[in-house]
Amino acid sequence: MRIGFVGAGKVGFTLGRYMKERSLCVSGYYSRSHDHALQASQFTHTECFAALEELTKSSDVIFLTVPDGAIAGVWHSLTEFDLKDKVICHCSGALSSSVFSEIDRTGASGYSIHPLFAVSDKNSSYREISNAYFTIEGSEKHMPLIEGIMKTLGNPYRIIPADHKTLYHAAAVFASNLVVGLYEQAMQLMVECGFDRESAGKALAPMFLNNCQSVVENGTDMALTGPVERNDLTTVKKHLSILPRAQREVYLQLSQALIQIAKRKHPDRDYSELSTVLEYEKGLEKKNEKNSF
């Protein structure tokens, strides 16, 4: 079973080297940029293909490690060749295998294989991706083969239905990208308190990192601390009275989510008053928003 890559960016570099080091047979790379394909082939000690058709003929499994917006176009190009019994995969978190339109007519099978992992560096991320959880979605025809690849890699994985793919990707965004936005909000508030960005980052980092570690190791219930968990209505009201509108809206939305966690952690506590205040303040926000138009 030979695995080829179309696209020689960070994901292509990382998966190719990772697979090669775990004794999977990587045939090589094709890219619109021959230099990029050459670099990837040298990095993985595989072949650099000058034409897409050459890679297709030399590979049983083809990974399209290109930007999401380019997947459909590359797939259209592949349909010009003999794809009978080929396995076509992409690594998009947001798209399902349905992006391979009319794939049954070609005799190939399509899959989306997504690592829950931020590939930050094409030269080093292959050392860290062994900890990543993968999700798989696609045809049942060659699913045993795909599972065999995952078992060889040794990563935990789960098969999900196509209609859950967008929701799954939204979950990943909440846990990764949106956290960056929340941290930026905290940085901005610290700057308003007189910190410069460098000192604000140094001040927040230990708390932020410790909290992330606690969430991962102990779960959200045990990791939750702060005024909502303590049912500290006075402090929550003070926060709401001074926060700028943008941060206030985020604070209200997330505090309501925290109440649900707090209730699980402390089923004996009555959070009804705090919940009522948050609902009332959220209603005011909506009213003010309508009046502003």
Side-chain angles (χ1 to χ4, degrees):
M1 184 182 63
R2 298 159 299 174
I3 302 172
F5 286 86
V6 179
K10 291 186 290 187
V11 175
F13 263 67
T14 298
L15 288 180
R17 180 67 175 266
Y18 184 54
M19 290 178 178
K20 189 74 185 298
E21 294 204 345
R22 278 153 181 76
S23 301
L24 288 169
C25 181
V26 178
S27 56
Y29 290 82
Y30 168 79
S31 173
R32 287 188 303 175
S33 168
H34 181 75
D35 287 344
H36 291 171
L38 181 61
Q39 291 170 20
S41 67
Q42 292 171 342
F43 183 67
T44 55
H45 307 290
T46 59
E47 187 174 348
C48 173
F49 292 94
L52 180 59
E53 185 174 12
E54 292 178 11
L55 177 133
T56 303
K57 289 179 179 178
S58 299
S59 306
D60 305 300
V61 180
I62 302 172
F63 273 81
L64 310 190
T65 50
V66 297
D68 285 14
I71 292 173
V74 175
W75 164 242
H76 179 72
S77 297
L78 283 172
T79 59
E80 298 177 8
F81 315 127
D82 180 11
L83 299 179
K84 183 174 175 56
D85 293 326
K86 301 285 186 181
V87 175
I88 314 297
C89 309
H90 69 70
C91 298
S92 167
L95 299 177
S96 73
S97 59
S98 64
V99 70
F100 302 131
S101 60
E102 300 184 321
I103 191 170
D104 290 342
R105 294 176 59 181
T106 70
S109 301
Y111 302 87
S112 62
I113 302 176
H114 181 250
L116 272 168
F117 179 79
V119 180
S120 57
D121 187 280
K122 68 180 183 180
N123 294 312
S124 62
S125 289
Y126 73 93
R127 299 190 186 100
E128 304 160 356
I129 200 171
S130 60
N131 296 319
Y133 201 108
F134 281 70
T135 54
I136 305 168
E137 172 276 320
S139 169
E140 292 184 6
K141 182 177 180 181
H142 286 110
M143 190 61 78
L145 183 149
I146 298 298
E147 290 194 79
I149 292 175
M150 294 310 308
K151 289 172 182 176
T152 299
L153 293 177
N155 292 73
Y157 67 91
R158 180 176 293 272
I159 299 170
I160 64 174
D163 59 0
H164 285 179
K165 196 69 193 289
T166 301
L167 187 63
Y168 151 79
H169 190 250
V173 168
F174 266 93
S176 179
N177 311 131
L178 296 185
V179 173
V180 177
L182 283 176
Y183 195 81
E184 176 62 21
Q185 297 274 345
M187 291 281 286
Q188 290 175 10
L189 292 174
M190 292 289 276
V191 168
E192 289 186 27
C193 293
F195 288 74
D196 56 62
R197 286 187 65 87
E198 182 179 357
S199 59
K202 289 180 179 178
L204 292 170
M207 177 183 64
F208 178 77
L209 293 172
N210 288 338
N211 192 56
C212 288
Q213 191 70 26
S214 181
V215 169
V216 171
E217 292 180 354
N218 305 314
T220 55
D221 291 12
M222 294 303 298
L224 180 62
T225 62
V228 171
E229 188 258 349
R230 296 193 303 268
N231 208 9
D232 186 350
L233 181 58
T234 300
T235 298
V236 170
K237 284 183 174 180
K238 285 181 178 179
H239 290 168
L240 291 171
S241 70
I242 55 89
L243 283 172
R245 182 174 179 179
Q247 284 91 347
R248 194 172 187 274
E249 291 177 356
V250 174
Y251 187 98
L252 283 168
Q253 188 74 29
L254 293 181
S255 292
Q256 287 182 307
L258 294 184
I259 284 180
Q260 302 309 311
I261 301 172
K263 286 179 178 179
R264 294 199 303 264
K265 186 175 182 179
H266 304 291
D268 56 322
R269 291 184 186 175
D270 183 5
Y271 288 93
S272 59
E273 186 177 4
L274 178 57
S275 182
T276 299
V277 168
L278 292 175
E279 284 288 349
Y280 175 76
E281 294 292 337
K282 192 174 179 182
L284 284 180
E285 286 291 330
K286 289 183 179 179
K287 184 177 181 181
N288 291 334
E289 186 177 343
K290 287 182 180 179
N291 292 336
S292 66
F293 287 102

